Amino acid sequence: MKVVYATEIKKGADALITGVYEGLKEVEERENLKALNFSGKPGEVAVLPGKAFKSVIYVGLGKKKDISCDRIRTAAAKGIKKAKEIKARKVVCELLGVEKLKEKSAKAVAEGLIIGNYEFNKYKSDEKFSIEKVTVAGEEEFEEAFKLGKVLAEATNFTREIVNEPGNVVTPERLAEIAKELSEEYGFKCKVFDEKKLEKNGMVGILTVGKGSKNPPRFIHISYAPKNPKGKAVIIGKGVTFDSGGINIKPEQFMKTMKSDKAGACAVLGIMKAVGELKPDIEVHALIPTVENMPDGKAYRPDDIIVYRNGKSVEVHSTDAEGRLILADALLYGSDLEPDLMIDMATLTGACVVALGHYTSGLFTEDDRLARDIEEISKETGEKVWRLPLDEDLKEEIKGAYADIQNVGKSRYGGAITAALFLQNFVDKEKVKSWAHLDIAGPAFLDKPWKYYSPGATGQPVRTVVELLLRKNQT
Ligand code: BES
Ligand code: ZN
Ligand code: ZN
């Protein structure tokens, strides 16, 4: 689907998407809309035959005073899904809520249309209909915002498509290939460590977790380095291409969907795609530890002790708490780059989903300013986060009996926090100005449609992190 911007609406497209507020007299008095039970509530959509366009798709925006970017995204997504349903090839979409949101409307409309149009259907052999072209019609002054929205949405869908691929297709090696292809396209440097290099660099976490799989582990480092950068950021993503649990094998209802355990890694790739398009004045290093977690005669086991290159020894209590073991290597490597900002994203704990539900990520950081920035941005992107504490008192939970720390808490309470505390052991405070951890286990992958998302990967938190990098670019 091609998405373009135009300052004039040309007649003759198959469908026009137009927004309607709730509670307006004009709407309430229109018998044909009333007959369709349409009153402009958020999420509502109705189609009527038109004159200048074959069909007019009305999307509900809710009450004017409550308009928000996320309402616009949802409305645009409903509109484009309906356009697909009625098989409109050429579509025009007006800016929605522009009176109030100005340029933010153009951005949100682009995001809603593109994210809303995505579904993972490449393996379905029945005939598929796809929209040829959408023209977003608005004032010239909002075109830049539209373009930014388009980049963010395309980066999001790029992430979703990789997450949605199953473990037999996207293995650690394949993930590394994708990273290379992306780097080629945008002129990034890209290093991939195979087992020999992992060994040389003392990346014991990745090597240990990777031992149980026929698909060998990798570590990926992509770097984007503009001239005279204003700062340095490291982004890290958990890349477990399939998490069976290993020797502590998962029960079947928890194993299904574990192809999504690479969502953090894929988000990092999506963020780099946006970085390649937007070229901010800030150095960005993307780090991906990637493994497949499998049970096998060669697999690591409970009671195993591994010693990291910062001297910390770790006792394995569950081979299903593998994410933190591979992230530890990446955090140590990232620390050595001495960044201003280091942010990791990981489908790390079921406990985080228990705490916050499926629609909110856990945010951990000691830096109040960074927390505020992320919270502010997340309100606009609709990628919800909630700050949880790095509670010192829970450190006791991960104290090891025979090693410094253990990879699972002594009780299951506070599981998202004890995982974050585990990671904190591998962030070198002398070298990293500011660190945040996002536990995206809930929102990364959904089993039913929500807002503008179809079931499957959401591409969270790509838009939030890109916006954060753009903000760092300004300060
Ligand atoms: N990949 C899982 C976490 C997860 C759960 C992601 C649900 C997405 C949805 C992680 O590796 C894991 O298995 N964590 C364990 C930790 C436990 C053994 C301490 C968990 O959450 O049960
Ligand atoms: Zn696991
Ligand atoms: Zn996992």
Side-chain angles (χ1 to χ4, degrees), residues 157-418:
N157 287 354
F158 176 75
T159 294
R160 295 166 90 188
E161 187 71 6
I162 312 170
V163 177
N164 283 327
E165 288 283 4
N168 62 326
V169 176
V170 172
T171 58
E173 281 173 294
R174 177 68 196 128
L175 208 54
E177 260 171 44
I178 296 170
K180 288 242 169 186
E181 287 160 18
L182 183 77
S183 302
E184 191 106 337
E185 187 177 345
Y186 291 106
F188 302 143
K189 257 204 216 138
C190 180
K191 285 194 272 193
V192 175
F193 293 4
D194 59 12
E195 292 106 308
K196 240 167 129 186
K197 286 244 183 70
L198 287 167
E199 201 87 58
K200 231 165 119 190
N201 284 273
M203 297 186 135
V204 288
I206 299 172
L207 281 166
T208 300
V209 179
K211 281 194 301 180
S213 174
K214 282 244 159 101
N215 297 308
R218 293 289 181 263
F219 177 73
I220 305 164
H221 175 188
I222 307 172
S223 40
Y224 162 75
K227 277 195 192 113
N228 308 315
K230 287 191 193 139
K232 191 192 283 185
V234 169
I235 53 174
I236 300 175
K238 171 178 172 183
V240 177
T241 58
F242 187 74
D243 183 9
S244 71
I247 296 295
N248 294 99
I249 198 160
K250 285 181 185 290
E252 79 173 270
Q253 73 269 32
F254 293 120
M255 199 186 297
K256 217 183 132 270
T257 73
M258 276 303 135
K259 67 173 181 180
S260 67
D261 214 19
K262 60 186 181 303
C266 302
V268 159
L269 292 174
I271 293 161
M272 288 315 281
K273 184 175 170 65
V275 163
E277 293 286 338
L278 301 169
K279 303 189 171 52
D281 282 334
I282 165 174
E283 203 174 306
V284 186
H285 295 269
L287 310 181
I288 297 174
T290 173
V291 299
E292 185 178 44
N293 188 21
M294 293 297 237
D296 181 75
K298 289 204 182 99
Y300 80 129
R301 51 187 95 60
D303 289 347
D304 283 1
I305 293 176
I306 52 181
V307 184
Y308 283 86
R309 70 184 167 84
N310 65 342
K312 294 248 159 111
S313 57
V314 173
E315 223 169 86
V316 175
H317 279 222
S318 169
T319 61
D320 198 10
E322 82 298 338
R324 61 200 79 180
L325 296 175
I326 65 168
L327 286 166
D329 286 330
L331 290 165
L332 286 173
Y333 185 99
S335 296
D336 286 345
L337 296 169
E338 304 190 1
D340 304 296
L341 169 69
M342 181 152 84
I343 173 160
D344 74 76
M345 49 214 90
T347 46
L348 201 62
T349 67
C352 199
V353 193
V354 172
L356 301 176
H358 249 298
Y359 305 114
T360 303
S361 293
L363 162 64
F364 297 85
T365 179
E366 282 187 329
D367 183 339
D368 293 340
R369 217 195 116 168
L370 177 60
R372 241 199 359 257
D373 277 348
I374 295 174
E375 284 167 342
E376 241 175 68
I377 291 167
S378 118
K379 285 213 175 78
E380 291 235 328
T381 59
E383 298 180 333
K384 297 194 278 185
V385 303
W386 197 259
R387 193 173 179 189
L388 296 170
L390 284 154
D391 184 358
E392 299 258 341
D393 286 327
L394 288 178
K395 283 186 179 164
E396 170 61 28
E397 284 282 311
I398 52 167
K399 239 198 193 121
Y402 309 104
D404 299 334
I405 46 178
Q406 55 189 52
N407 76 334
V408 170
K410 286 168 191 146
S411 82
R412 60 192 189 85
Y413 300 120
I417 297 173
T418 48

Side-chain angles (χ1 to χ4, degrees), residues 20-23 27 37-44 59-63:
V20 176
Y21 287 113
E22 184 186 350
V27 184
N37 250 338
F38 180 90
S39 58
K41 288 200 181 65
E44 279 181 1
V59 290
L61 303 178
K63 299 222 168 73

